[in-house]
Amino acid sequence: MEVVEINDTVRIPLGELEFRFARSGGPGGQNVNKVSSRVELRFNVKNSPSLTADQRRKLVSRLRTKIDTKGVLHLVSQESRSQWKNRERALEKFIALMRLALRPEQKRIPTKPSSQASATRVEEKKIHATKKRLRQSVRSVEE
């Protein structure tokens, strides 16, 4: 049984991936209405035994636009006229997407704005305040 290696800790058996084929749009010559070259790769994130609960949570939150309500990840490839090439391309997309989503989060190092940036900000605020003050109506001295 073949395995798709995502990183050091995640390996997904090909049996967990489902491939669906359909007719692709775009150029195709005589085969355009005969050959199903469009490939849709489906992977059930919520029910995969290859993932830990933490990995599942990360994937669902980071790939929410590509995962449906049932927890299935959908990827489509239809760049090539060849079904086999599209299948390989879909698999490459899947591996790249999974690696990106399972990457550890980088801790943000809080920084302070530079003194030059603070001075520039204050100066801009003064200019803005002056502009607003000049727009106000002029009141007569007698009041």
Side-chain angles (χ1 to χ4, degrees), residues 46-104:
K46 285 196 175 173
N47 297 324
S48 174
S50 305
L51 300 172
T52 65
D54 185 47
Q55 290 168 341
R56 245 184 236 104
R57 182 193 52 76
K58 262 186 189 176
L59 288 172
V60 168
S61 69
R62 292 181 179 178
L63 302 176
R64 63 184 160 269
T65 58
K66 297 179 185 313
I67 295 178
D68 64 13
T69 54
K70 295 176 184 172
V72 178
L73 172 71
H74 296 265
L75 289 174
V76 174
S77 179
Q78 58 183 3
E79 292 88 25
S80 173
R81 292 182 187 183
S82 163
Q83 186 185 86
W84 182 255
K85 285 181 185 174
N86 283 335
R87 187 178 186 276
E88 292 297 312
R89 181 71 184 118
L91 208 50
E92 289 169 10
K93 280 183 184 180
F94 173 72
I95 293 168
L97 195 66
M98 293 288 282
R99 281 184 182 155
L100 190 65
L102 291 172
R103 233 181 18 190

Side-chain angles (χ1 to χ4, degrees), residues 19-25 31-41 76-78 80-83 86:
F19 292 95
R20 289 188 175 184
F21 306 100
R23 289 197 189 104
S24 178
N31 290 329
V32 75
N33 294 323
K34 294 185 233 170
V35 179
S36 298
S37 60
R38 177 181 185 266
V39 175
E40 179 186 5
L41 184 147
V76 174
S77 179
Q78 58 183 3
S80 173
R81 292 182 187 183
S82 163
Q83 186 185 86
N86 283 335

Side-chain angles (χ1 to χ4, degrees), residues 105-112:
E105 290 182 20
Q106 287 186 329
K107 298 275 186 202
R108 183 186 175 276
I109 301 169
T111 59
K112 292 182 180 178

